[in-house]
Every structure is written in C-alpha cells, then in structure tokens.
Amino acid sequence: MKKRLIQISGFLLSTLGWLFVSCTMAMDSWKESQLGGLGGSYVIKVAWYWSNLWKDCFVDSTAVTNCRDYGVLWSVTRVRGLLMGGLAFGFCGVILAFVGMECTYIGGSQRTNNKVLFAAAVFHFLGGALDTAGYCLYINRIAITAYNPKLDPTALRYSLGTPIFLGLVGSFLIIGGSILYAIAVMKSLFPEKSKFYNSRPYTNQQSRSRTLYAGYYGQSRQSQSRLSRHSMKSGVSKSSQVSTISQIEDRKISERDAFV
C-alpha cells in the first residue's frame, strides 16, 4: 500500500509539472517592458512590449496589438529546443509510468513493472533537467540585458513574466516525481544495497555495554550453577567451591576489560 501511494504521488507530481511546462509554451509575456506613462494635459500615452517563444508584440494605449512572428522550423532557438526536448522526454515518461505502476495492472511481472517505472523516472528526470536549463537560459539573457551598464539608456529593459515562474515550478515538480518513482522501486531492483544498509543497525554505547555485561556474566552464572550441582553430587567442600568461582570471575572480568 505504501509503495502504491508513493507511485501515485510521483505520477501526479510529474504529470502536473509536465502540464505546467506545456502551458507555458503557449503563454504570452515571457518578458515584458513598459514605456510611457507620463502624459500631457489630455491623453496619457503608454506602450507595452512583450515577447514569448514564438512572437514579439507591441501594444499601444488604444489596445491595438501588433506582432511579429519568429521563425519556427528553420530558426529554433536554444530555449525552444531545450523545452521541446524536455516535453518529449516527459511525454515518454508519463506513458512508461502509467504502464509500470502497480495500480494500473497493465505491465507484466512485478520486476518488469519496476524496470519500466525506473525507466520512467529516468525520462522524467532528464525532461525536468532540460526544462530547468531552458528557463534558466532565458532568465540569464534577460538579466544580462537588464543589468548591463554598457547598454544604451534608450534601449528596452525587459522584466520576467509569469510563464517563467510557472515553468520553473513545473520543472521542480517533474524532478520531484521522478525521485519518488526511484524511491518506490529502489528496494526491488537493487536488493543487495538494501540488505547492506538494513544489516547494519545503529546501537548506542549503553546497549553495547549491556550486551557485553549479559554475555560475560550470563556465562559466569551458568558456570556457577553447573559447578554447584557438580559439587553437590561429588561432595566437594564449600571453601573449594568458592575459590573456584572466584577464579572464574576474575578470568571473565579480565577478558571483558581486554575486549572493551
């Protein structure tokens, strides 16, 4: 039940993040700038410039929009290439995760489902990394333009738009979902490592001392009881029995001190 819950949580996170990134591809105002706002006596003239991955637009104070489309097939920028590559990896990851989860009952054996789900985790992680790289590259371009001291003062200085932040959140959700996928199948695919870590429990000093005490003095008590039964049967005197027990105690204590 716990494994299925982790798988479902990873599927929801990764799919939701993939949808966020997909929506940002079609959203406007990736970067925006405003000019004007200082009007005369009658009309306040304001102009807005904004751009996305596909076009560059200008909006005047009368709400008339003029846009210029970018080339799509023959001039794909690095940002668009990274994001489209991340979406492709994410789409493959969604399909593999849907097939490999236990609650869908689509895949074959349990080990096959775990391998498919681990492949989905790899695809989602690569897709989230590509998406994050694309958004960071776009942010870097805007920051270089905005904080460049050598730039012409009359040039436009853009600010970040809403799609950038939404896309970053989606990228982090995709990476988080891939980590949950990997956690869900790690013990099944790599049992040797799981046994290695589970076979080394932590014990504090107090429990270790208690174990040593019980081991040494437990054996001494058993030897005392065996010696007393033997003396009762053979008729050995009490003084010789006490001297023998003291010798055993001294030997056990010295062995314990040497071990500690």
Side-chain angles (χ1 to χ4, degrees):
M1 184 65 183
K2 184 178 179 180
K3 184 178 179 180
R4 291 187 178 184
L5 182 61
I6 295 175
Q7 291 178 1
I8 294 173
S9 301
F11 183 79
L12 293 177
L13 287 178
S14 59
T15 306
L16 184 63
W18 187 83
L19 291 175
F20 281 0
V21 175
S22 302
C23 292
T24 59
M25 293 285 290
M27 291 178 66
D28 297 332
S29 300
W30 277 56
K31 60 179 181 179
E32 52 190 2
S33 179
Q34 178 180 348
L35 293 177
L38 301 176
S41 58
Y42 296 102
V43 179
I44 298 177
K45 294 183 179 180
V46 183
W48 293 272
Y49 291 88
W50 58 266
S51 300
N52 58 10
L53 295 179
W54 316 103
K55 56 187 176 181
D56 190 6
C57 296
F58 166 78
V59 182
D60 58 15
S61 58
T62 60
V64 176
T65 303
N66 297 313
C67 295
R68 179 179 63 88
D69 293 334
Y70 296 144
V72 178
L73 297 177
W74 52 88
S75 62
V76 178
T77 60
R78 291 185 223 176
V79 177
R80 278 185 285 181
L82 290 172
L83 293 181
M84 286 189 289
L87 288 177
F89 278 112
F91 182 75
C92 296
V94 169
I95 296 177
L96 291 174
F98 188 77
V99 173
M101 287 195 304
E102 291 183 355
C103 57
T104 56
Y105 300 102
I106 297 178
S109 62
Q110 182 67 31
R111 185 167 181 82
T112 303
N113 285 342
N114 291 333
K115 290 182 179 179
V116 173
L117 195 62
F118 187 76
V122 173
F123 273 94
H124 274 304
F125 187 83
L126 292 176
L130 289 177
D131 294 333
T132 305
Y135 290 116
C136 291
L137 180 59
Y138 198 86
I139 292 172
N140 184 56
R141 291 181 178 179
I142 297 176
I144 290 175
T145 305
Y147 298 102
N148 187 6
K150 299 180 181 180
L151 187 65
D152 187 5
T154 60
L156 289 177
R157 295 178 182 269
Y158 288 94
S159 60
L160 297 176
T162 305
I164 299 293
F165 302 101
L166 183 62
L168 287 175
V169 172
S171 301
F172 295 148
L173 289 178
I174 293 172
I175 295 175
S178 66
I179 293 174
L180 290 180
Y181 286 146
I183 292 174
V185 300
M186 186 63 68
K187 290 184 179 180
S188 301
L189 293 180
F190 305 101
E192 294 82 6
K193 294 184 178 181
S194 302
K195 291 180 181 179
F196 175 76
Y197 288 111
N198 293 332
S199 62
R200 300 178 63 186
Y202 173 77
T203 55
N204 54 16
Q205 187 67 23
Q206 185 177 2
S207 62
R208 181 173 177 271
S209 302
R210 190 182 296 113
T211 304
L212 291 174
Y213 178 84
Y216 281 99
Y217 285 95
Q219 295 176 3
S220 63
R221 291 194 183 95
Q222 292 177 2
S223 62
Q224 289 178 14
S225 61
R226 287 197 299 268
L227 183 61
S228 61
R229 287 196 299 268
H230 178 71
S231 62
M232 291 176 63
K233 292 180 181 180
S234 60
V236 180
S237 62
K238 188 71 174 178
S239 60
S240 62
Q241 179 180 355
V242 171
S243 62
T244 305
I245 292 174
S246 62
Q247 293 176 4
I248 294 174
E249 291 291 336
D250 294 337
R251 181 168 57 84
K252 292 294 182 180
I253 292 173
S254 62
E255 289 179 359
R256 187 201 63 180
D257 295 336
F259 181 78
V260 176

